[in-house]
Amino acid sequence: MGPRWLFASSSPCSVKPIFATHCSCSYIRRSHHRRGSANWLNSPVASTLANIDRPPANKPKLSYVGSKISAADGMCADKASWQSATDSKVTAPSLTKLDKAFEAEGCQFVWGMNDLTVSDLNALFQKVGFPLRDPNRLQLALDHSHSVLWIRSMKQSRWARQGQLLGFARATSDGALSATIWDVAVNPAWQRSGLGRGLVERLTARLVNEDITIVSLYAEPNVVGLYNRLGFVANPDGIKGMAFQKTSKPGKALVEQAAATAAVAA
């Protein structure tokens, strides 16, 4: 399935084009422009997602950063000094379109995996150009996700069958400090109808309302503008996320070294 990725951050998402997240963004409160950092390596599901989530190289990182971060939160003093000194609590993004308005158009937002199958999800991923995921590993990634949100068709139409998966997004999190939004995808026939924006707004709002104030995501460059309008910014202060790639020269050397060590131990 190509190179595997493991994400780290030195601080603190298309038919072509498709609405699908692969670059990293962070959501920053607009009124205070607060800054911080997400430490992906400390995520409890990092080892699982290393084989599932792999954004392309050279994609900007965007982040929505909430409450003030200090050295006590695992950030060095210099990075903590970049954080805005305001004491007010970050507010969740408002919804530009309510559930009732979407339901009037035959679209229903659903939390959790009820009635959603891995095969349906893989079919959607293929439609938007995502690589095919191994069903067992994809199920494992979903089981370890903090939040799962998807959209189903409420009625039969020329564009969808009743109950069909129209859009999807999920988030991983340590449950306290940071979260990352993954796999935002919308059926090509339903793109440009506000579904992708609705997914990101609802996921971000839920995470912030749980007092998880650092929310990031990976996206295609052609949708970075959308995330900017939703309060996400790319590479705050020039701080960029980094990825480990097994197919890189240093990555190959490390993998070979690990294999040799394992062989000797056996």
Side-chain angles (χ1 to χ4, degrees), residues 208-224:
V208 172
N209 285 332
E210 294 175 354
D211 291 329
I212 299 171
T213 52
I214 302 175
V215 181
S216 32
L217 58 81
Y218 290 80
E220 293 291 344
N222 62 307
V223 294
V224 167

Side-chain angles (χ1 to χ4, degrees), residues 35-82:
R35 301 176 183 130
S37 74
N39 191 341
W40 174 243
L41 286 179
N42 288 335
S43 168
V45 295
S47 61
T48 296
L49 297 178
N51 291 310
I52 292 293
D53 305 308
R54 54 178 193 89
N58 302 319
K59 302 296 171 122
K61 180 169 186 175
L62 297 92
S63 300
Y64 178 115
V65 181
S67 62
K68 182 171 65 176
I69 297 175
S70 66
D73 293 320
M75 184 187 298
C76 73
D78 288 340
K79 293 175 184 175
S81 68
W82 297 339

Side-chain angles (χ1 to χ4, degrees), residues 26-208:
S26 297
Y27 180 59
I28 295 185
R29 188 181 181 189
R30 300 185 187 190
S31 59
H32 297 292
H33 302 287
R34 318 185 83 167
R35 301 176 183 130
S37 74
N39 191 341
W40 174 243
L41 286 179
N42 288 335
S43 168
V45 295
S47 61
T48 296
L49 297 178
N51 291 310
I52 292 293
D53 305 308
R54 54 178 193 89
N58 302 319
K59 302 296 171 122
K61 180 169 186 175
L62 297 92
S63 300
Y64 178 115
V65 181
S67 62
K68 182 171 65 176
I69 297 175
S70 66
D73 293 320
M75 184 187 298
C76 73
D78 288 340
K79 293 175 184 175
S81 68
W82 297 339
Q83 185 72 14
S84 173
T86 66
D87 293 326
S88 57
K89 184 178 179 180
V90 65
T91 56
S94 58
L95 302 182
T96 55
K97 192 172 181 179
L98 299 179
D99 288 359
K100 288 185 177 180
F102 280 112
E103 290 171 2
E105 298 173 357
C107 303
Q108 181 183 32
F109 286 85
V110 182
W111 291 97
M113 289 292 295
N114 292 338
D115 301 323
L116 180 61
T117 67
V118 168
S119 59
D120 287 340
L121 188 53
N122 250 337
L124 173 64
F125 287 166
Q126 285 189 295
K127 288 180 180 179
V128 300
F130 283 3
L132 184 66
R133 316 286 179 84
D134 175 82
N136 293 329
R137 299 198 65 79
L138 178 55
Q139 183 63 61
L140 186 61
L142 294 170
D143 292 341
H144 285 83
S145 294
H146 180 81
S147 298
V148 172
L149 178 62
W150 60 288
I151 307 168
R152 67 179 163 203
S153 173
M154 300 174 63
K155 57 186 179 182
Q156 186 80 19
S157 71
R158 60 182 296 185
W159 298 284
R161 67 181 186 277
Q162 186 173 0
Q164 181 177 339
L165 170 64
L166 304 179
F168 176 86
R170 66 185 178 95
T172 57
S173 175
D174 55 22
L177 299 177
S178 62
T180 304
I181 295 175
W182 299 97
D183 296 331
V184 180
V186 175
N187 186 306
W190 290 82
Q191 290 172 13
R192 299 187 179 277
S193 60
L195 297 185
R197 183 179 188 130
L199 286 164
V200 175
E201 286 179 342
R202 284 160 176 76
L203 262 181
T204 305
R206 169 166 285 200
L207 294 167
V208 172

